[in-house]
Amino acid sequence: MTPVVVVGHGVAGMQTAIGLAESGRPVLLLHKGDWAASNTYLAQGGVAAALDPDDSAADHARDTLTVARGLADPEAVAVLTDEAEAATRALRAAGVFVEARAGRSHPGQEAGHSRPRVLRAPGGATGRAVARALRQAVAAHPAITVRSARVTRVGVVRGRVAGVFVSGDGQRPEWIPAAHVVLATGGFAGLWRTTTNPPTTAGDGLALAYDAGAVLADLEFVQFHPTALAVGETRPALLLSEALRGRGARLVDAEGRPAVADLPAGELTPRDELARAVGRHWITRGPIFLTLAHLDPRTVEEEFADLARAVAAYGRNLATDPLPVRPAAHFTMGGIVTDLEGRTTIPGLWAVGECAVVGVHGANRLASNSLLEGLVFGRRVAQAIAREAEAPPAAPPPAGPLLDAAWPEDLAAALDEHLGVVRTAAGLQDLLRRLRAAEPPDRPGPVTVVRLAAEAALARTESRGGHWRADYPDTDPRWRGHLCHQRDTPLWFCPSPEKGGLFDAVVRTRSRS
Ligand code: SIN
C-alpha cells in the first residue's frame, strides 16, 4: 500500500495520521522541521467542548454560529460540537487536561462562550500538552513514518493527486508517490509583522492547493487577537491568553480606568470586536493594559504558571504588573474549501485544520474552537480515506514550478498597515500594487496567498467579523457569502447556500478541475 502523505505536524496533521494508522493505513507524515514551531504547540487557551451535564453541544454550536457573523455552516458546526466529546476522549484519558487529572470538570471561560467549557492543561500550556500527547502516539505507531521535508508541489495527473514533490537534500526535487495527500499546514497569520504565530505559518498548504487547482475561500477574514503583549518587537508576540480575561483580568487605560466598559460583554466581547476596540484605544486614547492585580496572585501564578514564566522573561510580573497589549494577527479563517470529511475539489487532495474551510468559523472563529477543529476533522478525514479503495498512484508529472518561500520583511509590515484590523480601499490598492510587483510569475507562495486575501478584502465592500472596512463600516446582508479563488479564474462570489455547505455549492457551480 502506498502511504497516505500527511503534510503538517500540528494537531490536525497528527490526529489525521493517528486515525489513518489505527485503521491500518501506512502514513508518511511530513513536516518542516521544528516541532515547537507550530500554532498547536504555542496554543494556550484550550479545547472547547460541551462536556458538563448542564452544557450541551447545541449551546456550543449556537455560540459558534453567533460569533461567526452569519458565515458558518450550521451542519459543519453541528459536527464540530457534537463530535467534541469523542474527539477529545483519548487526550482526556491521557490526563492532558486539568479536568481529567482532578477527576472533575474544571473548564475555563472565554469570550463568546455562553458558559465555561474550555479544557485547559495544568499551568495553561495546553498546546504543548496536546502536541506532546499526540506526538507520543505518532511515535508509538509503527505505521507512521515521520520525515522532515518541505513539500514544494502537489502533483496532479489527469485531475487526480499522484503524489508530492519535496525539497530533498540534493538540488533536484524528490518525488513521493501517493494516492492521497492531506494538507494540514496551518494558516498564514505568521506573515504579518505583528503576529502571535511562528514564521512557519506561511500559507504553504493554501499555495500548494491553489497551484493544484483547488478552490480557496474566505481569505479576507483574519482574526486579530486583542491581547498580545506590547513589549519590544518580538516575533511572534507573546499571547496573553483570553483565559486570563475569562478568569477576571481587566483592560484598563494608563490611569487604571476601565477601558472597554462600553462594550456589551466588556473584556469577554468576541475577538473581532474587542481587537478593534483595543486598536482604536491606542489611536484615540493611548496605551491599553491588561491587569490581574485585583486577583489573588497565588491563583494566577498557579493557573497560569507557564505564562507567568514567559511574561517574566520580558521583565514583567503577570500577577501584579499592568501589561500593555495590542492586537496581533492570530488565525486565518480562510483556506482550502472542503466537505465535512476534508475532501477538496481535487480528487485525492484533502485539507484539515486551519488551512481548510470546512465551514465552522465563518467570518470570526470562536475562542478555543481551533484545536477542537483539528481533533474532530482530523478523525473524520482519516475515517474517510480509510474507506477509499486503494488506487495505485499515477506516474509523476513534470516537477514544474515549485513553491516559493520568499517573504520580504517590508511586505510583513505592509500587511500590518493595510490588511490589519482596519482596512480601506486606498490602503488595499497600495498593498496589491506591492504584492503584484513582488509575486514571482507562476510560482505560488506566501505572496500569492496574501495577494488573494487582499483582492478579496478589496472586493468585499462591507464589514463583517475579521474583515473591517473603515470605508464600509456596516454589515451588508447582500454580502452573506464567500469570495472564492481558483487558479486561472477570476475571483467569484458564492452566496451562503440555504442548505448544505460551501463545498457543495462550489461543486454545484464549478466543475471539478
Ligand atoms: C487564547 O488563548 O487566547 C487563544 C485561544 C484561541 O486562539 O482560541
Side-chain angles (χ1 to χ4, degrees):
M1 247 188 214
T2 328
V4 175
V5 168
V6 177
V7 191
H9 61 188
V11 59
M14 289 199 278
Q15 177 84 336
T16 306
I18 295 162
L20 282 163
E22 283 173 354
S23 68
R25 286 282 182 137
V27 179
L28 176 61
L29 179 66
L30 300 176
H31 66 91
K32 285 205 283 190
D34 181 1
W35 284 88
S38 86
N39 275 329
T40 296
Y41 192 89
L42 293 181
Q44 295 174 37
V47 183
L51 300 179
D52 280 358
D54 52 347
D55 195 5
S56 72
D59 284 354
H60 183 186
R62 199 191 48 240
D63 295 344
T64 302
L65 288 167
T66 304
V67 164
R69 313 298 186 206
L71 288 196
D73 166 18
E75 257 179 72
V77 171
V79 166
L80 178 80
T81 59
D82 287 350
E83 295 185 13
E85 192 282 323
T88 55
R89 206 175 291 152
L91 292 175
R92 287 185 285 122
V96 166
F97 303 114
V98 172
E99 175 225 23
R101 290 220 170 149
R104 70 191 155 91
S105 184
H106 187 57
Q109 175 73 60
E110 290 186 12
H113 289 276
S114 49
R115 50 159 296 125
R117 63 165 72 93
V118 178
L119 306 178
R120 302 178 65 240
T126 310
R128 200 181 314 157
V130 167
R132 277 201 185 129
L134 292 174
R135 204 179 152 191
Q136 273 166 12
V138 163
H141 213 298
I144 306 177
T145 305
V146 179
R147 191 178 148 189
S148 163
R150 185 160 189 265
V151 176
T152 54
R153 193 158 198 235
V154 174
V156 177
V157 176
R158 290 184 294 280
R160 209 202 135 85
V161 161
V164 292
F165 289 99
V166 300
S167 52
D169 34 21
Q171 289 77 26
R172 287 242 196 105
E174 177 192 345
W175 173 249
I176 299 176
H180 299 283
V181 171
V182 184
L183 298 173
T185 50
F188 58 101
L191 297 174
W192 275 254
R193 191 163 72 175
T194 309
T195 176
T196 63
N197 288 204
T200 42
T201 314
D204 285 15
L206 281 72
L208 292 167
Y210 182 71
D211 177 58
V215 175
L216 312 185
D218 292 346
L219 301 189
E220 66 275 37
F221 297 112
V222 178
Q223 182 163 79
F224 294 86
H225 197 289
T227 55
L229 183 66
V231 174
E233 289 290 325
T234 52
R235 197 156 150 202
L238 180 65
L239 178 77
L240 298 178
S241 175
E242 202 154 293
L244 296 168
R245 282 176 275 126
R247 205 68 179 83
R250 291 188 193 134
L251 286 164
V252 296
D253 66 13
E255 273 73 49
R257 293 178 299 224
V260 293
D262 53 330
L263 295 181
E267 277 79 0
L268 289 180
T269 297
R271 256 177 226 174
D272 52 351
E273 214 180 327
L274 190 62
R276 285 198 294 279
V278 170
R280 201 165 45 238
H281 195 286
W282 275 91
I283 294 165
T284 58
R285 293 163 62 194
I288 180 165
F289 300 84
L290 190 75
T291 177
L292 289 86
H294 55 288
L295 304 174
D296 172 16
R298 272 172 317 191
T299 310
V300 172
E301 273 151 22
E302 190 190 313
E303 277 189 34
F304 300 98
D306 198 63
L307 197 47
R309 270 191 297 275
V311 169
Y314 289 80
R316 312 284 165 119
N317 186 309
L318 176 68
T320 54
D321 287 341
L323 303 167
V325 289
R326 64 180 162 203
H330 181 60
F331 186 89
T332 42
M333 271 69 75
I336 309 155
V337 175
T338 73
D339 71 3
L340 298 184
E341 293 182 321
R343 275 177 205 87
T344 72
T345 48
I346 304 291
L349 183 64
W350 308 71
V352 63
E354 189 175 346
C355 72
V357 173
V358 66
V360 292
H361 306 311
N364 181 46
R365 173 177 65 83
L366 181 68
S368 287
N369 267 357
S370 56
L371 293 178
L372 178 64
E373 177 185 19
L375 293 170
V376 167
F377 289 96
R379 209 162 144 260
R380 289 176 77 85
V381 171
Q383 287 163 354
I385 295 177
R387 285 195 304 272
E388 298 255 324
E390 167 69 2
L402 300 177
L403 189 73
D404 181 42
W407 181 242
E409 186 55 30
D410 62 312
L411 289 182
L415 289 198
D416 277 17
E417 195 178 345
H418 299 308
L419 198 60
V421 179
V422 179
R423 296 124 185 226
T424 62
L428 288 164
Q429 277 153 353
D430 180 43
L431 175 65
L432 274 167
R433 264 192 300 277
R434 294 167 67 175
L435 291 168
R436 286 182 183 131
E439 189 175 353
D442 294 328
R443 227 183 133 203
V447 181
T448 310
V449 173
V450 286
R451 193 252 304 156
L452 298 174
E455 282 173 359
L458 182 61
R460 186 177 282 276
T461 47
E462 66 151 1
S463 292
R464 185 189 290 269
H467 167 71
W468 201 82
R469 288 278 300 258
D471 43 358
Y472 292 94
D474 298 324
T475 300
D476 181 344
R478 288 171 301 182
W479 274 108
R480 196 170 158 262
H482 308 265
L483 283 162
C484 302
H485 312 259
Q486 191 174 24
R487 206 191 55 209
D488 305 327
T489 308
L491 177 72
W492 82 92
F493 181 67
C494 183
S496 283
E498 284 311 315
K499 230 178 142 15
L502 175 62
F503 180 84
D504 289 347
V506 164
V507 170
R508 263 199 311 275
T509 51
R510 303 259 142 178
S511 59
R512 288 186 172 209
S513 312

